[in-house]
Amino acid sequence: MRIAVVGATGMVGRVMLQVLEERNFPITEIIPVASERSIGKTIEYKGKEYKIVSMQDAVEMRADIAIFSAGGETSKQWAPKFAEVGTTVIDNSSAWRMDPNCPLIVPEINADILTTNDKIIANPNCSTIQLVMVLNPLHKKYGIKRVVVSTYQSVTGTGKDAVEQLNGEIEGRDVAKVYPYQIFKNALPHCDVFDEETGYTKEELKLTREPRKIMRVDEMNITATAVRVPVQGGHSESVNIEFENDFDLGEVRKLLAEQEGVIVQDNPDTNTYPMAFYSEGKDDVFVGRIRRDLSQPNALNCWIVADNLRKGAATNAVQIAEYLVKHNLVDNN
């Protein structure tokens, strides 16, 4: 199995290499791909040095799978070229997520739709992944009418320059600003760019649209407010869910505990609840503060946390690759 990692030197790309190694993915050759300024440099994988190659060289090497984390414009330009030579692309950008011809996959929920004909597979938005991991088992049981989600997103979701901005501000250094304002001691209700027509940010619109595609639900009302907070890693979400049917809190906790990839941390007596600090470096989605909404019938509040670079990006992409290999959905070139 020959795997190309496109964007190998970036923040998510490095985590992808780490996750591939940790999960002992069956690789015979790793093909690291990065921008022109990195070509010829090396990266290490499992103790061996691999030379970074150009996009065109990587296409010609005909990898079995290419995992992309290099931005939407790069994906739009190059993913079809990889697909044309038979490489299955798993893309971490937003470029293909809402394309009706490209599956949008969270393996625990909808990997069963994948076929050998799917040559460009979209990895969902980081905040979407952790949200649907909790929504899906509850929707199957109770039927979801409406979801209101407010996110508290870490700076790693923006990239290494944002991490540098936060750390520079903490230390009192002059640093280039990625955000329109300082992020230290602040909370910015501004993730991604604003959509002129709706007044929502693109991040908020992703949260309203992507879950319906993943969960195969045409009618589910979702509204979102996305906020950037001075946390280095791990996204948090306050979620209010209104169901078609009434629920039992004990059964809700049981359903979530039985969902693969979800860990329930919910004991107010011991101050046990999910926190971004403890999610870093972990692949699970954590949920807690599970309680009835006292203002609305058949409604539930909860708090969801996950490492946005792992389950929110790299780990989910690698899990898709694992599913493809396990079910013989990759044509070896």
Side-chain angles (χ1 to χ4, degrees), residues 304-326:
I304 306 168
V305 178
D307 185 322
N308 52 294
L309 295 182
R310 291 186 68 99
K311 183 55 180 171
T315 301
N316 198 75
V318 173
Q319 287 176 311
I320 294 170
E322 289 172 340
Y323 186 94
L324 294 172
V325 172
K326 182 179 178 181

Side-chain angles (χ1 to χ4, degrees), residues 258-316:
E258 289 172 350
Q259 170 63 52
E260 181 189 353
V262 170
I263 292 178
V264 176
Q265 295 180 325
D266 189 45
N267 189 344
D269 293 339
T270 57
N271 295 334
T272 300
Y273 34 71
M275 289 183 286
F277 182 78
Y278 289 117
S279 74
E280 278 195 273
K282 299 182 176 70
D283 289 326
D284 295 297
V285 173
F286 302 90
V287 60
R289 297 298 321 279
I290 300 166
R291 62 210 188 276
R292 281 189 177 274
D293 176 353
L294 302 180
S295 73
Q296 184 75 14
N298 302 344
L300 178 84
N301 288 308
C302 64
W303 177 253
I304 306 168
V305 178
D307 185 322
N308 52 294
L309 295 182
R310 291 186 68 99
K311 183 55 180 171
T315 301
N316 198 75

Side-chain angles (χ1 to χ4, degrees), residues 126-146:
C126 46
S127 301
T128 298
I129 291 172
Q130 63 189 73
L131 179 64
V132 297
M133 288 283 286
V134 169
L135 294 185
N136 196 62
L138 299 181
H139 176 67
K140 284 182 176 177
K141 179 68 178 179
Y142 306 114
I144 292 176
K145 284 175 66 177
R146 184 170 188 254

Side-chain angles (χ1 to χ4, degrees), residues 213-235:
K213 182 172 179 180
I214 296 163
M215 293 168 60
R216 293 169 268 194
V217 180
D218 292 330
E219 296 296 325
M220 185 168 64
N221 295 314
I222 307 175
T223 188
T225 301
V227 181
R228 190 74 61 188
V229 292
V231 169
Q232 181 148 317
H235 287 355

Side-chain angles (χ1 to χ4, degrees), residues 104-174:
L104 182 65
I105 300 295
V106 176
E108 295 91 339
I109 296 174
N110 66 335
D112 59 293
I113 69 172
L114 291 172
T115 72
T116 52
N117 295 324
D118 295 314
K119 288 302 178 188
I120 300 178
I121 300 165
N123 208 32
N125 174 258
C126 46
S127 301
T128 298
I129 291 172
Q130 63 189 73
L131 179 64
V132 297
M133 288 283 286
V134 169
L135 294 185
N136 196 62
L138 299 181
H139 176 67
K140 284 182 176 177
K141 179 68 178 179
Y142 306 114
I144 292 176
K145 284 175 66 177
R146 184 170 188 254
V147 179
V148 181
V149 54
S150 298
T151 72
Y152 305 77
Q153 297 183 215
S154 65
V155 294
T156 49
T158 308
K160 57 187 177 184
D161 290 341
V163 175
E164 176 61 18
Q165 179 181 336
L166 174 60
N167 290 333
E169 289 171 351
I170 291 170
E171 295 161 11
R173 293 185 282 110
D174 284 333

